[in-house]
Amino acid sequence: MYDKALEVENYIWSHYGKASIYGRRGDVNNTVKYLKMSINMDSSIKECIKTEHDFDPVRDDPKFKDLIK
């Protein structure tokens, strides 16, 4: 669904949603990839990322930690 939404509009929350799915799966690389897109659109989203439980499986990874500094 997020891919379809992104075909229509480059929307921050669609990238965030994809990152959340990858985060729940423990896929650090794709989580970081899509979060970077969201952060580039609005850096204040880092506050949401810090408390989002979907990212718990990747939260301790250095790539993830560097992203939300």
Side-chain angles (χ1 to χ4, degrees), residues 4-58:
K4 292 234 182 244
L6 287 166
E7 288 175 13
V8 176
E9 180 183 7
N10 189 26
Y11 185 55
I12 187 173
W13 293 107
S14 295
H15 293 294
Y16 186 94
K18 286 183 77 165
S20 293
I21 291 168
Y22 286 117
R24 287 190 302 265
R25 291 181 167 181
D27 183 336
V28 176
N29 291 330
N30 279 313
T31 301
V32 169
K33 174 184 174 181
Y34 289 101
L35 285 178
K36 280 183 180 178
M37 292 177 188
S38 294
I39 291 167
N40 287 337
M41 296 172 88
D42 182 354
S43 63
S44 69
I45 200 165
K46 286 183 181 183
E47 295 307 311
C48 293
I49 295 168
K50 290 176 183 178
T51 60
E52 176 63 60
H53 293 291
D54 288 347
F55 302 126
D56 288 349
V58 298

